[in-house]
Amino acid sequence: MAYSTGMMNKRVKVAKRVDSEGGDFGRKSGGQKYQMLGEFWAAETFNKGVKSMREGAVDAYDTVMFRMRFHEGIDRWCLVQYHGKWYQIQSFNEDYQDNQIQMTAVELANQQVNIVEPTPGPEPETPAVNPEQQNDGTINDNDNDSNS
């Protein structure tokens, strides 16, 4: 039996991690960079049960569970923004067949997230116009075999 996404009445923003450009001597520069995927409807609940009680013993009250519809761009390396706070995904379960994603996320201690604009891809090459005379669709009697 599949879990239910419930009442998806919360708006969350999802940012996907993108590759950093290489820095000096092959090192990555500028830390992790993220690109916004968009806003999605989601259901939000706090952790419940024995696991949350165990984590609560070490003051881990910043864990939230999000359930939402499947989106192929979302993976476990994404960040989720909810109520202006960024969350790092800890556990991620996606089910394309049931059209659902369930993820458990923990609030980031450092809320400084580097969001970049998508880089435009190479423009497709336009085919060169053929300067040769094209057939205008009229029938030429010399080439028509049915007139013999």
Side-chain angles (χ1 to χ4, degrees):
M1 176 86 184
Y3 53 81
S4 171
T5 53
M7 288 287 279
M8 294 184 296
N9 57 0
K10 311 289 191 241
R11 291 295 279 178
V12 297
K13 293 180 182 179
V14 177
K16 184 172 183 73
R17 185 166 70 177
V18 294
D19 291 333
S20 298
E21 296 175 6
D24 294 336
F25 304 107
R27 291 183 290 178
K28 303 283 184 181
S29 62
Q32 288 298 327
K33 296 180 181 173
Y34 294 87
Q35 182 178 345
M36 292 302 290
L37 278 180
E39 287 190 42
F40 302 94
W41 288 105
E44 168 265 336
T45 57
F46 288 96
N47 248 357
K48 299 175 183 173
V50 174
K51 183 178 177 184
S52 66
M53 287 175 26
R54 213 174 326 126
E55 290 173 351
V58 293
D59 295 331
Y61 295 110
D62 53 359
T63 302
V64 181
M65 182 184 299
F66 296 103
R67 289 183 173 138
M68 58 194 303
R69 297 285 176 223
F70 179 85
H71 185 277
E72 73 178 29
I74 300 174
D75 59 18
R76 73 169 36 259
W77 306 111
C78 291
L79 294 181
V80 179
Q81 187 181 39
Y82 176 64
H83 283 298
K85 295 180 182 177
W86 287 103
Y87 292 86
Q88 176 68 50
I89 297 173
Q90 297 296 312
S91 66
F92 183 80
N93 183 12
E94 63 182 345
D95 190 347
Y96 173 76
Q97 190 171 9
D98 288 336
N99 193 27
Q100 298 171 351
I101 293 176
Q102 176 178 315
M103 54 189 140
T104 305
V106 176
E107 185 178 339
L108 286 175
N110 180 6
Q111 292 287 315
Q112 303 290 327
V113 176
N114 190 3
I115 302 292
V116 296
E117 294 295 321
T119 56
E123 293 186 23
E125 294 182 23
T126 56
V129 176
N130 188 356
E132 296 178 11
Q133 178 77 21
Q134 298 293 322
N135 185 357
D136 59 0
T138 59
I139 297 176
N140 185 350
D141 287 335
N142 296 336
D143 294 334
N144 192 352
D145 293 336
S146 63
N147 290 338
S148 313

